[in-house]
Amino acid sequence: MPMAAAYPRTGILDRDPMSPWLPRLAAVLIGSHVDNEDPLAAAQADGADVVQFFLGDPQSWKKPKPRDDAEALRTSPVPLYVHAPYLINVASANNRVRIPSRKILQDTCDAAAEINAAAVIVHGGHADDKDFEAGFQRWVKALDYLETDVPVYLENTAGGNHAMARHFDTIARLWDHIGDKGIGFCLDTCHAWAAGEQLIDAVERIKAITGRIDLVHCNDSRDAFGSGADRHANFGTGQIDPQLLAAVVKAADAPVICETAEAGRKDDIAFLREQVAA
């Protein structure tokens, strides 16, 4: 697997949300996770600089189908991020989970290449045999098996026993095994909060481990700190101070995806854009 490409950020042209695809200069690209039916239209409706979506059913092992809008996506000025299916667990000891996980990750990367996606984001999974070291080794094998030119980003997760990417100290142990495999990193604020990781210095601590943050999933959390619950909320409706979320975005200096409810997502993007510019 090749080294993950540098993320688009400073000096990238994005759009004025009041005028479709009218360029303006941006320091940090801020966008949203949207339904995969028409991602570009959804991005425009949100006033998003970047967009993330699934290429198929996130709870299915089925290979993503070719898209009718593949050419439009491939030639779009909007950077595209693809979220891999939730079912993926390349750290599993169970062959009936681990092998299909490798296959659907490969299928997802192949489909992402067809639309010129900037990256594929995948959760860390968990060692269901309770053996962390074996889980780390299965991650190594998964990346050795993967053949793609599309960067893959590991995303931290909220809960689960023996999770590969829940607690930052475990991420450090995993990174000792896979950090030289070309993988990037996606920091999710809700997940870190739910895992019991303080956000005030989360960027500093993750960069000390990985040397990079390629993407931020900026989400409020419905539930309390350390709850282990992966329940996103729009800014100001959950448990995380919106100013703390903005501070994470500023410190990370990477593209941002808001994975919040559609009803308030446009406001979430506008809030971050205002805070980053301040």
Side-chain angles (χ1 to χ4, degrees), residues 119-197:
V120 169
I121 294 87
V122 63
H123 289 179
H126 61 282
D128 45 16
D129 59 352
K130 303 181 181 181
D131 187 337
F132 278 105
E133 185 61 32
F136 301 150
Q137 292 297 336
R138 294 178 197 120
W139 253 105
V140 171
K141 291 180 180 179
L143 294 179
D144 287 343
Y145 173 86
L146 187 63
E147 296 182 0
T148 184
D149 291 326
V150 179
V152 173
Y153 299 164
L154 171 71
E155 179 182 355
N156 63 302
T157 51
N161 294 325
H162 302 94
M164 296 284 97
R166 178 183 182 182
H167 298 298
F168 287 10
D169 58 348
T170 311
I171 293 173
R173 293 170 63 192
L174 174 60
W175 212 261
D176 285 342
H177 291 77
I178 67 172
D180 62 350
K181 297 293 183 181
I183 193 166
F185 192 83
C186 171
L187 175 64
D188 188 299
T189 56
C190 172
H191 296 175
W193 171 272
E197 297 288 350

Side-chain angles (χ1 to χ4, degrees), residues 3-98:
M3 293 297 291
Y7 50 77
R9 55 183 183 91
T10 306
I12 299 295
L13 291 178
D14 64 358
R15 277 83 42 221
D16 182 336
M18 299 303 292
S19 179
W21 319 132
L22 179 64
R24 62 180 171 78
L25 191 64
V28 175
L29 302 178
I30 301 171
S32 52
H33 181 97
V34 301
D35 185 86
N36 67 1
E37 183 176 347
D38 192 346
L40 296 180
Q44 183 176 323
D46 280 350
D49 305 324
V50 292
V51 67
Q52 177 184 278
F53 52 97
F54 293 105
L55 288 174
D57 182 347
Q59 300 292 353
S60 172
W61 296 112
K62 292 182 179 179
K63 181 177 181 178
K65 295 179 181 179
R67 296 185 62 96
D68 293 336
D69 60 351
E71 181 61 22
L73 291 169
R74 187 164 47 245
T75 58
S76 169
V78 183
L80 312 174
Y81 290 89
V82 169
H83 202 303
Y86 293 133
L87 293 176
I88 291 176
N89 182 11
V90 300
S92 175
N94 187 339
N95 287 344
R96 294 184 178 182
V97 175
R98 187 179 66 258

Side-chain angles (χ1 to χ4, degrees), residues 19-20 84 99-100 105 108 110 113 141 157 166 169 199 205 229 239 249 255 258 268 273:
S19 179
I99 301 306
L105 180 57
T108 300
D110 291 346
K141 291 180 180 179
T157 51
R166 178 183 182 182
D169 58 348
L199 291 179
R205 289 187 291 130
Q239 302 292 319
V249 167
C258 296
D268 294 340
R273 193 170 282 142

